[in-house]
Every structure is written in structure tokens, then in C-alpha cells.
């Protein structure tokens, strides 16, 4: 066994079906009594459901969480937190809402309870991305790691199949980057492979609905568990080229987060494969395929996910600028980040070409 360093993240995880009913108990366990509930405009209904469960323990509902965590929205949310004298932040939703909760915690150091409704995985990481003046930047600090995560499988049952696919592939991206991280270790490797396997074997059933209610509940449960495992492994490590490109395309060109991950992942795997053969072989094995890049591409495409940046609205003339930004302040990565090769990667992703 090679020497390694493993940092366990200090978070409480509650997983099951119907677990959101425990929100008041968990809030009081933290010694809090004045929670502000966060949602996006589209998740107001779920936020009001949590507000009802909290009763007098909730002091307000903030519904302006936005993709890529723009700083001006955080400014407004922090003002609301201060006006309400909230002592806890409760995020109900996907990556946009969870990102806002983290941004508030970064500024105020308030404890967080997160109730994820997608497979984004941000809830399990000490990483925050924020966008200001068209540039998305990230930082890693335990200040933004939520204290409590409540996974309620029931809240994912209404997630549309297409959104489920892109959100789940986003989760797989966390595991892939963990496997070839410069800080990779055997514990994270196990989590990464378990997460990829759990998602890949169960995701098709979410789209097809095969087997009916009980089978769908099991598939949703397995994908949510897999997403948590994937997030846990990257949360203790770092990010590489894939996340750098996604942050560039999201922060500067406002492309949708999960869909961008889904389109790019096959191409970033192919880019790194010659420089991280053992890691990529583990990805392929976990997917049950021979070629990892093609396996991810085929899985997502067959399940109805977008497979080109062109579909997502990126203009071809913006590819050069995206390559330039991605090459600046690069994250550590197995393969050297060469501007011409990055541009080719982006061109292939823009056109939706199946990777070699």
C-alpha cells in the first residue's frame, strides 16, 4: 500500500425516505431556533413544505437563489438574513440553492442544514463557486461545509427524467476527478467507484420507469446514494480540468450547470485518459464498459441528455475565449493544459462528436 493522506469531512448525514420530517429536530440539535429557508423560484413549493414543518422555528423564506451563485444575489440574501435575525440557513433544492447557502455561511458563519432535491452533490463538499463580473471563481473552506445533510428520496421522485440524467452525470464527474486527483487515496477511490456504479446501474430505470413504483423508488434511492458518495470523494480532494471548463462556461457564458457537466465529461475523460490510465480504467470498470469516455457519452445520450455545447446555446465564436480563460490559473490536472488541445476539446464538445 502506497502512503496516503485522507481527510474525513465533519458533516452529519441523514438518508432515507420521509426524512425531511426531522428538520425541526435537527435544527434544535444545532441549538438554533430561527431558520431562514432558501429556494429558487421554481422550488418555492418544497420550501413552503419545510417552512410548515418548522413552524415557529422558521423566520422567513428567501426564494431568489440563482444558478452560479451571483454575488449580488448573495448580497441581497445576507441582508435578509440580518433583517430576520436568522441563526441558521436551511437550503432546500439543488446546486443553485445550496450554493447560496454556502455563500451566506462564508460571510456570516451561520450553521447550515441542506435538503437536496437533485444529485448535484454540492451539499457534501467544502467547495464554493461564486460569479462576479462574468467570472466564476472557487474556493475551498470548511466554513461552507453544511453541518447537516438530510437526504429524502421522496423529494427526488418528481425530478424530471432529463434533469435527473444531467444531475446524475454531474455527480459522476465529481468521482471521475477524484480518481485522478493529485491527492487521490484508496478511501476516496472506493467511494468514487461505488458512486459511479450505483448511479450507472440505476439511472436508466428512472428514465424508463421500468418495474413501477417500488422499482422507481429503489432506483431513485440508489442514484441519490451514489451522488452522495461521488460528492464525498471530491469534497476531500480537489478539482481538475473538467471543473475548470464547467466553471468557465457557466460563469462567463451562463451555460446551465448540470447540462454543461454532462456534455463535457466524455471529452475531459478522453483528454486525460493517456495521462491517467489506471484512474480512467476504474471509471470504465465502474460503468461496466471498455472505453470510459464513450461509455459516459453513450449513457447520457441514450437517456435523452444534451450532448453538444451548441445545444446549450454556446456560440462557436466563443470557443477560443473559453479556451483562453480555461488555460488561465489552471487547476492541477493529469494532462498538460495546452491551449490548442483545449480548443479542440471544446470544438468536439460543441459539435457533439463522440470521443475516441
Amino acid at each position: 500500500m502506497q502512503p496516503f493522506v485522507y481527510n474525513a469531512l465533519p458533516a452529519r448525514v441523514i438518508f432515507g425516505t420521509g426524512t425531511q420530517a426531522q428538520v425541526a429536530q435537527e435544527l434544535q440539535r444545532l441549538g438554533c431556533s430561527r431558520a431562514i429557508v432558501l429556494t429558487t423560484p421554481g422550488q418555492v413549493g418544497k420550501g413552503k413544505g419545510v417552512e410548515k414543518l418548522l413552524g415557529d422555528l422558521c423566520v422567513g423564506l428567501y426564494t431568489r437563489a440563482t444558478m452560479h451563485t451571483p454575488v449580488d444575489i448573495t448580497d441581497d440574501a445576507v441582508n435578509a438574513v440580518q433583517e430576520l435575525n436568522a441563526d441558521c440557513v436551511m437550503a432546500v433544492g439543488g446546486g443553485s440553492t445550496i450554493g447560496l447557502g454556502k455563500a451566506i455561511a462564508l460571510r456570516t458563519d451561520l450553521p447550515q442544514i441542506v435538503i437536496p432535491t437533485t444529485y448535484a452533490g454540492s451539499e457534501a463538499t467544502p467547495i464554493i463557486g461564486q460569479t462576479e463580473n462574468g467570472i466564476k471563481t472557487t474556493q475551498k473552506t470548511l466554513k461552507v461545509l453544511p453541518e447537516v445533510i438530510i437526504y429524502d428520496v421522496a423529494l427526488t421522485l418528481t425530478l424530471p427524467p432529463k434533469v435527473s440524467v444531467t444531475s446524475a452525470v454531474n455527480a459522476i464527474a465529481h468521482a471521475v476527478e477524484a480518481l485522478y486527483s493529485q491527492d487521490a487515496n484508496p478511501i476516496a477511490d472506493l467511494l468514487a467507484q461505488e458512486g459511479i456504479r450505483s448511479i450507472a446501474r440505476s439511472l436508466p430505470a428512472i428514465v424508463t420507469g421500468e418495474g413501477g413504483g417500488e422499482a422507481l423508488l429503489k432506483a431513485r434511492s440508489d442514484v441519490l446514494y451514489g451522488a452522495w458518495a461521488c460528492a464525498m470523494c471530491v469534497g476531500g480532494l480537489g478539482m481538475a480540468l473538467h471543473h475548470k471548463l464547467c466553471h468557465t462556461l457557466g460563469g462567463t457564458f451562463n451555460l446551465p450547470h448540470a447540462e454543461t457537466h454532462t456534455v463535457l465529461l466524455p471529452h475531459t475523460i478522453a483528454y486525460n485518459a493517456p495521462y491517467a490510465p489506471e484512474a480512467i480504467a476504474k471509471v470504465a470498470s465502474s460503468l461496466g464498459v471498455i472505453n470510459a469516455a464513450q461509455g459516459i457519452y453513450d449513457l447520457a445520450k441514450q437517456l435523452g441528455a444534451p450532448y453538444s455545447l451548441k445545444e446549450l446555446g454556446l456560440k462557436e465564436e466563443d470557443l477560443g475565449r473559453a479556451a483562453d480563460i480555461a488555460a488561465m490559473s489552471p487547476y492541477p490536472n493529469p494532462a498538460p493544459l495546452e491551449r490548442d488541445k483545449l480548443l479542440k476539446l471544446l470544438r468536439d464538445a460543441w459539435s457533439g462528436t463522440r470521443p475516441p
Side-chain angles (χ1 to χ4, degrees), residues 13-67:
V13 177
I14 299 167
F15 188 100
T17 301
T19 49
Q20 71 165 328
Q22 300 177 40
V23 290
Q25 176 185 338
E26 290 301 317
L27 183 71
Q28 292 172 318
R29 186 177 175 277
L30 289 175
C32 300
S33 60
R34 299 180 61 81
I36 182 170
V37 176
L38 311 176
T39 73
T40 60
Q43 294 271 24
V44 172
K46 287 186 170 69
K48 287 185 175 179
V50 172
E51 185 180 29
K52 184 177 180 180
L53 288 170
L54 288 171
D56 293 341
L57 297 174
C58 179
V59 295
L61 180 64
Y62 185 88
T63 63
R64 294 189 61 206
T66 304
M67 186 171 62

Side-chain angles (χ1 to χ4, degrees), residues 15 43 93-95 98 115-125 151-175 195 198-199 202-203 205-207 216-232 257-258 261:
F15 188 100
Q43 294 271 24
I98 296 165
I115 306 176
T117 60
T118 72
Y119 309 122
S122 175
E123 68 279 354
T125 77
Y151 289 108
D152 190 335
V153 179
L155 294 179
T156 68
L157 293 177
T158 56
L159 194 64
K162 189 173 182 178
V163 178
S164 298
V165 173
T166 56
S167 184
V169 176
N170 179 8
I172 289 175
H174 301 324
S198 187
I199 291 171
S202 302
L203 194 56
I206 290 176
V207 176
L216 180 60
L217 184 64
K218 183 182 185 306
R220 288 284 186 184
S221 180
D222 288 350
V223 173
L224 188 60
Y225 161 72
W228 169 76
C230 291
M232 280 293 293
H257 184 77
H261 275 276

Side-chain angles (χ1 to χ4, degrees), residues 242 245-246 249 260-268 309 345-346 349:
H242 176 80
L245 285 173
C246 289
L249 294 174
T260 303
H261 275 276
T262 300
V263 171
L264 282 178
L265 185 57
H267 302 282
T268 54
L309 295 176
L345 183 163
L346 288 167

Side-chain angles (χ1 to χ4, degrees), residues 32 80 82 91 114-115 121 128 147 177 215 237 296:
C32 300
Q82 293 171 341
V114 177
I115 306 176
I128 179 172
E147 279 72 13
E177 295 233 297
L237 302 174
I296 286 287

Side-chain angles (χ1 to χ4, degrees), residues 240-258:
L241 169 63
H242 176 80
H243 279 83
K244 177 66 174 181
L245 285 173
C246 289
H247 294 158
T248 296
L249 294 174
T252 303
F253 302 98
N254 203 36
L255 295 195
H257 184 77

